[in-house]
Each structure stands twice: as C-alpha cells, then as structure tokens.
C-alpha cells in the first residue's frame, strides 16, 4: 500500500477507527479512492449517529458502539489520533499483522509526486503559535504555504486539494506522531518536553519517544531547545539523512549552529557562512508579539525552520511583524486603575502556566480547574517571588492552594468555592482587590477548563467580559 495511487486502494478493506474531526474526512477520502471502508466507533450518541448517517449515504459501513472488534478481512486500520495504543482493536490488529496508520500517516502516503515539503513542529507547549509564526515567515518570503495539522487546513485537504503549496508548516501532536511511522520531514522542531498526556502514552519515556519521531529522516535540520536537554537528547537518538544538522535555539547568546538573542536582537549563527565568527541579524525582540520569553523562543524555533528552508533574513522579520497570536494566548485585555489584565486561558497545564508566570514581575494569579493528574509544587515554587496574590477557582483548586501554602505561605490566597460560570466575575473582582498599580492580573489556570466551561476559549471570554465590567 506504499505509494497511495488510486489503484492501490481499489477494493482494499480499510477500517477507520473513530468518527470525529479526523475519522469522517479519512473515511470519505478512502471511499473516494475506491477502498471498502468500515468505520468503527466506541460511542453511539446522537452526534455519532448523525455522522454515521452521512457516511452510510455514501456507501460506507459504520458500526457504532463497537470499537473493540476487528472487522473481518481488514487490511489496514486508519485511526483517529486520540485512540490509545492499548485498545483491544490494536491488539487484534497486531496479532493479525494488520498495519495501523493515523491521519497524518495517511496524508503523508497520499501526497502527489513532487508534493510540498513538510516543516514539522511538536512539543508540549507552543506548537500552534510556532507553526503560525512559521507560516507567516514563509508567506513573507513569497512561498505558497499553510499552517496545517491540528490547526487551520486539515492535512488531508492540504495534500489532496486543488491548491498547490511549496511548503507546509505542520503542527503534530505526540498522538499523531505515534501513528505516523513513515513520516519524513524536511526539517523539524521539538520545542520542549514536559509531562503531559501520560495517561495516553503510559510513561514519560514513551511520550518523549513519540515526540522524537518527528526527527526521523530529517534532511536539513533538527531544531532543538538549548534550555531543554531532553529535546537535544532526542536529536542525538534520531536516525537522520546524511548532512542533516542539529540546530539549537536559546534565549541567551547563541553559539555556532544556534539561533539566539543578543542585546534585544534575534540572531542566526546556524545558517550563515563561517558560523564560528559570523551572525545574521533576523529581527528585533520588539517584532515578536507578545515579547514574553517563551514566545521569543517560539519565534526563534520558527525562524530556525524557515532558515533551514532557505528563507532570507528579511522574511523572518517581516513574517514575525505580520503575525498576530490567537485569542487567549497572553492576550492583553485592558488596563484598569494602573493594573494590566492578561488572558492566558490557553495555559491549560503547568508547563504553559510556568512560561506565562515568568513573563511578569508582580502578579495576582487566577488559577484552577481540572488538574488532569498534575502536581503544582514546582510551578508555585518557581513563581512564588512574583506573586502578589492568588485567586483560585475550579474543581481541583485545593491542589494549588496546598502548593501555595507549602511554597508561598506569605502570599494572600482567595479560595472561591464555586464552579459555576459566574465565579469568573467574582474571581476578577477579588483579583482587583489584591492588585496594586503596576501589577498584572494573570489568568493562567494551569488546568483544563471543562469543570466550569465548555473549553478554554469560553473561560477566556468570561475573564475578558468580567474585566470589561470592572472598567465600565
């Protein structure tokens, strides 16, 4: 089933595991290529039945409420990325010698001859921002590109659609990489590694191993984070093409084969002549929005991948200037009575919250929600000296309160025993009471939002609305 030409698929028995955002398009594409498609899905709810009806009208077989049994005659499984590797379906496939691909693997196999190169980005935090910055830089260089993967255009649409691309900026999760054994990017970056999704991968080692797959077969550059040794270790372990280089990014002064920061300027000592002695100015820190430390790191990673692709320095500057971050990522909502109110609702884990807290000097921190098994001692200990106060909301707020008691006992804490959506207005009012002119009230929950809100966007919207009511 190698090249993915239509003749390969005619009459092939393919099982698609899971409906949802990747399963439905995969089933439609495979059916269109002539495969005999069966979709299996654990759930049997109204949404699943609606999706199933649409597929059945095309001639696709759908089995709802039975995601464990391998359909007879299956020659390939294409799985939604969220399905855990330990599911019985995959054990049955393994026993029967049936390969399992994810949606990324399928897209990779279906590329047309002479298709666009992939510049790939993974990491625990910062993936989406980095990929969007990268696409902005590539566009500034006059290249036909798109931000694809978990964001923007779907990968299947990008490789099969009418639009032609020169190069794709691809965001990849650890789940997707797990199921993409033959992916070989032009160049790739692992931004950082912190415990996340361990319930899915089973261990930190397995999680890191899946992230590291992004480097396999890279041709030009494996981009790693100098401040996160685990990312460099993954480069060392990767099997890359002859001549592929390790390129680091750092918030400090870069060494040879690194990008970094010198006196407020982003500089490149990797993709220049005589990198022992020379450096190329790329952009100013002020060209990055917002210029928080972790976001500058994202910009350097994006710049490294773009430079690996041969983009001129001027396009890095122009692309970073043109980029505007998504909502709820360190978004400045308003200044009220000399206090800045910042919405970083996207900080849904401790690693993201740590980066957010490091960006401000004196903070009233609004935090809490669903902890997803996280612990908060390291986060609180690192941020303690910056905290003016803390306001805690959400189901697992006691875990943060206890960490504050251990590591920041002098910091005043307001514990709001509420999980209704109106709690956010009260949280913002309490934060205002604790804040002094020059402080920052920062929503960086370090937790998921689903105990109180539909998603982190709704949580951020509630925060912004509450801030507007303060200033009214």
């Amino acid at each position: 089933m190698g090249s993915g030409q239509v003749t390969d698929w005619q009459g092939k028995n393919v099982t698609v595991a899971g409906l949802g955002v990747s399963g439905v398009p995969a089933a439609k594409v495979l059916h269109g290529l002539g495969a005999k498609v069966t979709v299996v899905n654990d759930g049997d709810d109204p949404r699943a039945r609606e999706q199933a009806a649409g597929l059945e009208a095309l001639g696709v077989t759908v089995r709802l409420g039975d995601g464990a049994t391998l359909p007879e005659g299956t020659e390939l499984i294409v799985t939604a990325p969220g399905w855990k590797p330990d599911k019985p379906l995959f054990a049955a496939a393994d026993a029967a010698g049936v390969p399992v691909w994810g949606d990324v693997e399928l897209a990779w196999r279906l590329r047309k001859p002479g298709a666009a190169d992939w510049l790939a980005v993974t990491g625990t935090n910062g993936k989406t921002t980095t990929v969007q910055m990268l696409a902005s830089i590539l566009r500034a260089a006059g290249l036909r590109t798109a931000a694809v993967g978990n964001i923007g255009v779907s990968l299947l649409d990008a490789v099969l659609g009418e639009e032609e691309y020169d190069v794709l900026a691809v965001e990849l999760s650890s789940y997707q990489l797990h199921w993409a054994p033959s992916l070989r990017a032009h160049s790739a970056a692992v931004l950082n590694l912190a415990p996340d999704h361990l319930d899915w991968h089973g261990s930190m080692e397995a999680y890191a191993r899946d992230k590291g797959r992004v480097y396999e077969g890279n041709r030009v550059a494996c981009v790693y984070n100098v401040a996160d040794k685990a990312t460099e270790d993954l480069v060392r372990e990767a099997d890359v093409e002859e001549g592929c280089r390790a390129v680091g990014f750092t918030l400090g002064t870069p060494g040879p084969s690194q990008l970094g920061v010198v006196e407020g300027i982003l500089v490149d000592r990797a993709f220049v002549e005589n990198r022992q002695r020379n450096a190329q100015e790329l952009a100013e820190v002020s060209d990055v929005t917002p210029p928080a430390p972790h976001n500058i790191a994202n910009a350097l990673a994006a710049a490294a991948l773009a430079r690996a692709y041969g983009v001129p320095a001027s396009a890095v500057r122009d692309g970073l200037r043109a980029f505007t971050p998504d909502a709820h990522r360190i978004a400045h909502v308003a200044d009220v009575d000399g206090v800045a109110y910042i919405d970083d609702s996207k900080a849904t884990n401790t690693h993201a919250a740590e980066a957010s807290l490091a960006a401000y000097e004196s903070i009233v921190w609004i935090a809490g929600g669903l902890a997803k098994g996280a612990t908060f001692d390291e986060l609180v200990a690192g941020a303690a000296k910056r905290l003016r106060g803390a306001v805690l909301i959400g189901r697992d707020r006691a875990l943060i309160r206890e960490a504050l008691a251990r590591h920041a006992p002098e910091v005043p804490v307001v514990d709001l025993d509420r999980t209704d959506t109106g709690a956010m207005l009260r949280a913002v009012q309490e934060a205002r009471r604790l804040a002094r002119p020059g402080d920052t009230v920062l929503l960086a929950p370090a937790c998921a939002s689903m105990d109180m809100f539909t998603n982190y966007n709704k949580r951020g919207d509630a925060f912004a609305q509450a801030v507007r009511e303060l200033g009214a």
Side-chain angles (χ1 to χ4, degrees):
M1 308 195 78
S3 69
Q5 297 305 312
V6 174
T7 49
D8 288 345
W9 297 96
Q10 205 65 44
K12 290 285 181 190
N13 284 304
V14 184
T15 295
V16 173
L19 287 161
V21 291
S22 65
V24 172
K28 287 180 177 174
V29 163
L30 289 162
H31 175 73
L33 291 169
K36 283 168 34 187
V37 181
T38 302
V39 180
V40 297
N41 195 63
D42 285 338
D44 183 9
D45 51 78
R47 175 86 180 112
R49 285 197 285 275
E50 183 187 328
Q51 290 176 319
L55 289 173
E56 284 167 340
L58 297 174
V60 173
T61 304
V62 183
R63 295 192 339 204
L64 295 177
D66 179 15
T69 317
L70 185 67
E72 202 170 322
T74 298
E75 296 169 84
L76 169 72
I77 293 177
V78 175
T79 181
W83 280 44
K84 288 187 184 182
D86 62 2
K87 286 183 84 74
L89 180 71
F90 302 134
D94 191 42
V98 173
V100 181
W101 300 355
D103 57 333
V104 170
E105 179 74 10
L106 180 63
W108 179 254
R109 301 273 193 141
L110 290 178
R111 290 169 311 134
K112 299 164 188 163
D117 283 314
W118 291 17
L119 298 173
V121 177
T122 193
T124 305
N125 292 300
K127 294 186 291 293
T128 300
T129 300
T130 303
V131 162
Q132 290 172 331
M133 284 177 169
L134 174 58
S136 185
I137 292 168
L138 295 169
R139 272 194 294 274
L143 293 160
R144 296 170 301 174
T145 191
V148 300
N150 286 335
I151 54 167
V153 181
S154 93
L155 260 174
L156 281 171
D157 285 346
V159 300
L160 295 173
E162 294 300 303
E163 193 157 347
E164 291 189 1
Y165 297 106
D166 299 308
V167 57
L168 293 171
V170 187
E171 176 185 336
L172 296 171
S173 71
S174 52
Y175 300 171
Q176 290 171 314
L177 285 162
H178 181 88
W179 299 120
S182 69
L183 168 66
R184 300 290 180 265
H186 173 285
S187 299
V190 180
L191 302 176
N192 42 58
L193 273 175
D196 201 15
H197 306 303
L198 300 193
D199 53 340
W200 195 93
H201 292 276
S203 69
M204 187 64 193
E205 292 71 28
Y207 174 59
R209 193 164 54 245
D210 282 335
K211 288 284 190 200
R213 286 182 182 219
V214 81
Y215 289 136
E216 288 298 312
N218 283 193
R219 300 203 304 277
V220 176
C222 295
V223 177
Y224 68 92
N225 183 347
V226 173
D228 190 336
K229 185 177 176 299
T231 64
E232 188 176 2
D233 292 342
L234 292 177
V235 176
R236 288 189 211 289
E237 292 157 20
D239 187 8
V240 299
E241 286 199 15
E242 190 74 33
C244 182
R245 292 168 50 206
V247 173
F249 63 90
T250 172
L251 292 176
T253 303
S257 285
Q258 294 180 353
L259 280 72
V261 182
V262 178
E263 294 175 359
I265 294 168
L266 276 58
V267 297
D268 172 1
R269 286 191 67 189
F271 302 99
V272 290
E273 292 289 320
N274 189 0
R275 54 183 179 269
Q276 298 300 325
R277 300 237 281 283
N278 292 342
Q280 169 70 54
E281 182 177 324
L282 297 175
E284 294 184 17
V285 164
S286 57
D287 293 324
V288 180
T289 308
H294 68 285
N295 209 41
I296 295 163
N298 293 337
L300 289 164
L305 289 172
R307 294 285 282 164
Y309 198 70
V311 161
S314 58
V316 175
R317 183 198 63 219
D318 294 347
L320 289 175
R321 283 180 179 170
F323 169 74
T324 49
D326 280 355
H328 314 299
R329 283 180 166 80
I330 307 208
H332 180 267
V333 177
D335 289 322
V336 180
D337 299 333
V339 173
Y341 288 79
I342 304 292
D343 166 14
D344 198 20
S345 183
K346 179 67 172 70
T348 57
N349 57 35
T350 54
H351 191 258
E354 180 184 14
S356 198
L357 287 161
Y360 304 99
E361 289 305 314
S362 181
I363 301 161
V364 178
W365 181 30
I366 300 179
L370 288 178
K372 299 186 298 182
T375 56
F376 298 92
D377 288 274
E378 197 176 326
L379 174 66
V380 169
K385 65 182 184 299
R386 297 168 178 269
L387 295 178
R388 166 87 67 187
V391 181
L392 305 181
I393 58 175
R395 196 183 77 186
D396 294 333
R397 65 189 181 282
L399 296 172
I400 304 176
R401 185 182 68 233
E402 290 155 13
L404 284 161
R406 283 190 288 272
H407 303 287
E410 69 295 339
V411 172
V413 176
V414 177
D415 187 336
L416 289 183
D417 185 15
R418 292 172 59 173
T419 52
D420 61 290
T421 48
M424 187 60 82
L425 177 60
R426 178 78 193 288
V428 168
Q429 290 167 338
E430 292 291 344
R432 180 189 200 174
R433 190 174 57 75
L434 292 170
R436 302 284 176 270
D439 288 352
T440 298
V441 170
L442 175 66
L443 173 69
C447 291
S449 58
M450 288 79 74
D451 57 331
M452 294 172 64
F453 300 94
T454 317
N455 51 40
Y456 73 81
N457 297 297
K458 290 279 191 285
R459 177 169 64 188
D461 291 343
F463 173 79
Q465 180 57 38
V467 173
R468 283 192 286 272
E469 289 184 30
L470 286 188

